[in-house]
Amino acid sequence: MTATPAPTVTATLPSAGTSRRRGRRPGRAGVSGATRRQQARLGVLLVAPAVALMLVFLVFPVLNSVYYVFVDFDGLDTTPPWVGLGNLTELAQDSQMWAAARNNLIWIVVGTIGPLVLGLGLALLLWGVRRGSTFYRVVFFLPYVLPQVAVGVVWGWIYAPTRGWLNRGLEAVGLDGLTRGWLGDPSTALYAVLGTAVWTATGFVFVIILSALRNVDNQQVEAATLDGAGYLQRLRHVVLPQIMPVFLMVTALTLIGGFAVFDIIFVMTGGGPANATEVLGTYAYSNAFQLSRISYGTTLALVVTALAVPVAVWLDRLQRRASIEERGA
Amino acid sequence: MSRPRRGHASGRPGVGRTLALGLLALITVFPVILVVSTTLKSNQDVRANPFGLFSSFSLENLETAWTVGNFDDYLLNSILLCVPSTLIVVVLSTMAGYAFARLPFPGRTVAFYVVVFGLLVPFFAYMVPLYFQMRSMGLLDSLLGVNLVLATTQLSFGAWFMRAFFSDLPGELEQAARMDGASEWQLFLRIMVPLVTSGMGALAVFTFLQQWNNFLVPLLYMPGGEYRPLTLGLYLFIGGRSVDIGPLAAGTLITILPVVVLYVVLQRQVTQGFLSGAVKG
């Protein structure tokens, strides 16, 4: 921190003590007209590059996305034909889209519940442990920071049909009958990739829940213990209600991530075998970039985004409420 | 504190808890151990016993990945894509974050909505039109173009993140500085920016990791392959069906090593970056 002379102005009354300055205005106390002009100039200057980048590389393509939905763009035509709601009606009748949506739903459900349960369990296990807690936090969060491509490669070996670690482990405990090429078998491929995703996301849930647990009122827990409440009772009636806002927040975040899943599936199975792991994201990609069905692919990608909007709104409400409570406390 | 505490309240875990945590930690890092082990085996051993742990020692896989597998180029390209885009994000976010937090200027609300719009809209929503836009701008396969796209994907978060840091600074600071005759620009650069360097650092680390791990942006906008980063190189390595596991492991290790080192050394900043989106409102 740089040393700054401590001003004598009270924090609650920012306008106090500035009466020397002329040109005071209500609201912006103590700031002269010249200063305000300077501030306005600097403000515009400082945000201009960020706004320019956002307009060119985000806002404009988003608007274009919406435009693509209503035309049939093939990637070359400068004036593509208008098709109105054609792309959307096609989407509603596309059985492959519905299969992908079904997989996406399974992905969202399992891929949310898995990390939530495991992350909560891990956090409870580590709660109150001080010795080595940083070590465990670093280890359990590690999968979340790794590039998905690399994660996909390694888990490919774990799921390998011959001498993969999963099959070896099953053989070691006498479950030879279950061994298979996990990613090559349409009946297991989706769940195998999900297993990898759960491994990745658990650490994220864990770290957030653990930080929430650190704020749990220990006296209440101890009081409940003295009243003879068992571990599960304490958990249900004392601990969980206190971490519920954070728990819901992390639920919403994991859900949102589940809608637009792409990287890990694309790398591990590419949507196969026999479309068994096709989700809306990979289906959108293959339509737009492999089948040159650009408008249709864009429509799919926008639908993926739109589906997550209600969850995002819910998340926003949760966050607002949490930050208000934090300030009130 | 001499008061008796029971169960989870004690700082030292019991034996059962330690065993459980240790086992879970082992399962968690196992895939990473597998990468290191496979990389360091001799190629012959990898063929005979592909997934056995640490059954031989050799650096030939690293050498193959580096020379034949082009991972030296991929590494350089990753740096060329991550360092400039991270710098852009940190500088522009600091500038915009300050303006949004502390400066009144015309159009502030509109500008703020434009910048944080990216927090609502995932890359997925505009990746397709952006491809054709990049093509017509001549920015496909260009370091400049892909750096700008990468920067834009993180800019909303960055500006929002830095704005929170500037908002937390006391208002008396600027009044004192103005009385000393500092211009608005000096106030920003000499007084305010030095006070948020910890935030800038956390943002830099977090952004760098995100760019390093980014797969979709180079996949889409680097179709020619001249500036392929590690993630894309690794993906194409698996795509070339005659998968040679030894060099593949080495390539994976080269890809994750910078991430792991950066994360372990600066874990507090990294975690802060990842969590701020979740916990702060």
Side-chain angles (χ1 to χ4, degrees), chain A residues 39 56 65 75 125 145 163, chain B residues 17 48 125 133 135 178 213 278:
Chain A
Q39 284 184 325
V56 175
S65 246
L125 201 60
V145 302
R163 287 181 292 191
Chain B
R17 197 179 281 249
Q133 184 185 330
R135 196 178 67 180
R178 278 191 201 112
N213 291 350

Side-chain angles (χ1 to χ4, degrees), chain A:
Chain A
M1 284 268 185
T2 335
T4 345
T8 48
V9 185
T10 49
T12 43
L13 286 170
S15 61
T18 50
S19 49
R20 263 168 288 169
R21 315 289 277 174
R22 57 196 172 74
R24 266 192 300 147
R25 279 185 209 177
R28 286 279 151 195
V31 175
S32 71
T35 303
R36 287 188 60 125
R37 275 193 298 279
Q38 255 194 35
Q39 284 184 325
R41 208 178 312 137
L42 183 64
V44 171
L45 218 66
L46 289 183
V47 296
V51 169
L53 269 189
M54 293 301 292
L55 286 176
V56 175
F57 292 106
L58 203 143
V59 176
F60 183 68
V62 167
L63 295 176
N64 245 332
S65 246
V66 178
Y67 168 66
Y68 279 19
V69 169
F70 299 103
V71 295
D72 186 13
F73 184 47
D74 61 359
L76 299 167
D77 201 343
T78 45
T79 49
W82 186 264
V83 294
L85 297 177
N87 284 309
L88 286 164
T89 48
E90 182 183 347
L91 187 131
Q93 290 156 4
D94 179 355
S95 62
Q96 234 184 314
M97 190 289 292
W98 287 108
R102 192 181 143 269
N103 285 339
N104 225 139
L105 188 66
I106 295 175
W107 183 278
I108 290 166
V109 172
V110 180
T112 301
I113 294 176
L116 281 179
V117 171
L118 292 174
L120 177 66
L122 265 183
L124 287 171
L125 201 60
L126 196 62
W127 184 29
V129 172
R130 251 163 283 141
R131 178 174 293 185
S133 81
T134 307
F135 168 78
Y136 289 118
R137 204 160 43 83
V138 170
V139 165
F140 291 133
F141 195 66
L142 175 68
Y144 194 72
V145 302
L146 295 178
Q148 301 259 295
V149 184
V151 168
V153 168
V154 191
W155 279 84
W157 303 336
I158 292 175
Y159 291 133
T162 47
R163 287 181 292 191
W165 276 85
L166 182 57
N167 283 345
R168 274 193 184 186
L170 289 172
E171 280 160 20
V173 294
L175 292 168
D176 302 52
L178 288 178
T179 62
R180 66 188 75 209
W182 295 90
L183 294 172
D185 185 334
S187 64
T188 55
L190 184 64
Y191 295 95
V193 184
L194 259 170
T196 306
V198 170
W199 174 77
T200 313
T202 295
F204 178 67
V205 177
F206 156 77
V207 169
I208 294 181
I209 304 260
L210 186 65
S211 71
L213 282 175
R214 296 237 155 102
N215 294 327
V216 164
D217 186 350
N218 243 324
Q219 283 182 326
Q220 280 191 29
V221 180
E222 275 167 32
T225 316
L226 290 177
D227 288 343
Y231 181 74
L232 285 178
Q233 281 175 307
R234 285 198 307 258
L235 199 62
R236 223 186 109 199
H237 298 291
V238 183
V239 179
L240 286 186
Q242 289 193 50
I243 62 167
M244 198 39 88
V246 174
F247 190 78
L248 291 177
M249 229 182 273
V250 78
T251 307
L253 280 168
T254 321
L255 277 173
I256 292 171
F259 281 98
V261 54
F262 177 83
D263 285 17
I264 193 73
I265 293 182
F266 187 75
V267 170
M268 288 183 79
T269 62
N275 299 333
T277 57
E278 193 86 275
V279 288
L280 293 171
T282 54
Y283 191 50
Y285 174 87
S286 61
N287 267 289
F289 292 107
Q290 285 162 350
L291 306 173
S292 285
R293 307 206 50 215
I294 292 141
S295 278
Y296 192 56
T298 309
T299 309
L300 281 161
L302 271 188
V303 165
V304 174
T305 310
L307 286 176
V309 165
V311 188
V313 170
W314 180 52
L315 172 69
D316 186 55
R317 278 207 202 139
L318 290 171
Q319 282 172 332
R320 270 166 215 268
R321 205 182 307 155
S323 67
I324 288 166
E325 274 166 18
E326 208 171 282
R327 249 156 246 161

Side-chain angles (χ1 to χ4, degrees), chain B residues 52-240:
Chain B
L53 289 180
F54 298 105
S55 43
S56 59
F57 179 81
S58 155
L59 294 178
E60 59 183 307
N61 290 324
L62 273 171
E63 216 182 300
T64 312
W66 194 254
T67 54
V68 185
N70 294 330
F71 276 88
D72 55 342
D73 290 337
Y74 299 153
L75 180 66
L76 178 68
N77 294 337
S78 272
I79 293 169
L80 291 177
L81 287 175
C82 295
V83 174
S85 62
T86 302
L87 281 176
I88 297 173
V89 169
V90 173
V91 171
L92 295 194
S93 299
T94 306
M95 288 162 55
Y98 178 71
F100 290 137
R102 308 198 79 102
L103 295 175
F105 59 92
R108 181 162 101 159
T109 315
V110 178
F112 182 67
Y113 281 125
V114 168
V115 172
V116 296
F117 185 52
L119 288 174
L120 302 171
V121 186
F123 177 67
F124 230 77
Y126 58 93
M127 65 176 185
V128 184
L130 186 53
Y131 174 87
F132 295 98
Q133 184 185 330
M134 297 278 282
R135 196 178 67 180
S136 56
M137 291 168 90
L139 290 178
L140 286 180
D141 281 316
S142 103
L143 280 178
L144 173 72
V146 177
N147 263 299
L148 290 178
V149 171
L150 283 170
T152 310
T153 60
Q154 296 296 320
L155 200 51
S156 298
F157 172 78
W160 173 83
F161 185 79
M162 290 314 298
R163 175 173 162 263
F165 278 89
F166 283 117
S167 297
D168 288 346
L169 298 178
E172 296 84 24
L173 277 178
E174 38 191 82
Q175 285 165 1
R178 278 191 201 112
M179 275 180 222
D180 291 346
S183 73
E184 288 300 315
W185 174 251
Q186 287 169 328
L187 173 63
F188 166 61
L189 210 59
R190 302 247 175 87
I191 296 172
M192 294 304 197
V193 168
L195 292 175
V196 296
T197 43
S198 71
M200 291 169 75
L203 179 64
V205 177
F206 173 76
T207 308
F208 183 84
L209 284 186
Q210 296 288 85
Q211 312 293 33
W212 191 272
N213 291 350
N214 198 316
F215 171 66
L216 200 46
V217 168
L219 175 74
L220 295 180
Y221 309 135
M222 289 285 185
E226 202 186 330
Y227 294 110
R228 241 168 236 159
L230 283 165
T231 46
L232 198 52
L234 191 59
Y235 172 70
L236 292 171
F237 205 89
I238 343 171

Side-chain angles (χ1 to χ4, degrees), chain A residues 122 139-143 199, chain B residues 23-32:
Chain A
L122 265 183
V139 165
F140 291 133
F141 195 66
L142 175 68
W199 174 77
Chain B
L23 189 68
L24 288 166
L26 198 64
I27 293 172
T28 307
V29 293
F30 177 73
V32 179

